[in-house]
Structure formats: structure tokens, C-alpha cells
Amino acid sequence: MATTLCVPPRPGELCAPVTVELAGPQTFLEITSRHRITDVVPDEERGTVAMTIELTDPAESRSVHVRFDLQPADAEVGPRSRLLARYTHAGRPMAAYGTYLGVVSDEN
């Protein structure tokens, strides 16, 4: 289920796996533009999602802003959002989405 929100790493490119726990309705991250989401594991009891993202060398790939949303499965999402996982929390069907927001400005 490997996916990316921007650009996949080049074939054979070394990547560092990072696991992030999404615990709130929205999580904003700054990650490398070339990345791969390789694992999404919902904890249905706690209502969180653990996600493993393989990141390329920041010196070789621009930084981008992304947003992850944990929301009811029937909620409306934008056309740029990608479904990452479906799960149930407290008897409600939920979904985890990822959205590419844009390149990090040099001014930041």
C-alpha cells in the first residue's frame, strides 16, 4: 500500500523510515517532497493512527507541507486528499486522509 502525497523516491534511493502517531483530527507536518507512506495502522480503541513515512535525504529533496486528517468516513474531502486507511472508532466508521499543501517557502 505504498503511496505518496507528492513525489515518490527515485528507484534505489535511500530513505529513512519515520513513524508518526496521528492523535487529533488534523496533523500538519513538514516532510521531504520525495517520500513514501508505507504503513498505516489504526488503533481503533484509542482512535489514533500510526503511520510510517520513508523520507529521502532533506539535502536532496525540497520540504513540503502536508496535512493528515482523521475524520468520519462519510465526511466530504477535497479532490487533492488521498485515502490512507479506513477504521472504526467508538462504533463510528472513520478514515485517515493525507493532503499535499505545497512547497515550504525559503522565507520560512
Side-chain angles (χ1 to χ4, degrees), residues 76-92:
E76 221 174 290
V77 296
R80 296 185 337 173
S81 296
R82 292 199 181 193
L83 176 65
L84 302 173
R86 291 188 184 276
Y87 61 102
T88 303
H89 174 61
R92 292 180 59 195

Side-chain angles (χ1 to χ4, degrees), residues 15-73:
C15 296
V18 175
T19 301
V20 177
E21 183 177 53
L22 309 176
Q26 286 190 327
T27 302
F28 293 88
L29 294 177
E30 185 177 310
I31 62 176
T32 60
S33 61
R34 289 198 317 272
H35 63 273
R36 182 183 308 115
I37 300 168
T38 57
D39 201 19
V40 180
V41 181
D43 182 331
E44 296 184 1
E45 186 175 305
R46 293 178 46 215
T48 62
V49 173
M51 181 178 320
T52 301
I53 307 170
E54 294 181 352
L55 302 171
T56 59
D57 183 351
E60 301 294 322
S61 181
R62 292 191 74 169
S63 294
V64 296
H65 292 290
V66 296
R67 182 185 72 230
F68 295 101
D69 298 295
L70 304 180
Q71 58 190 34

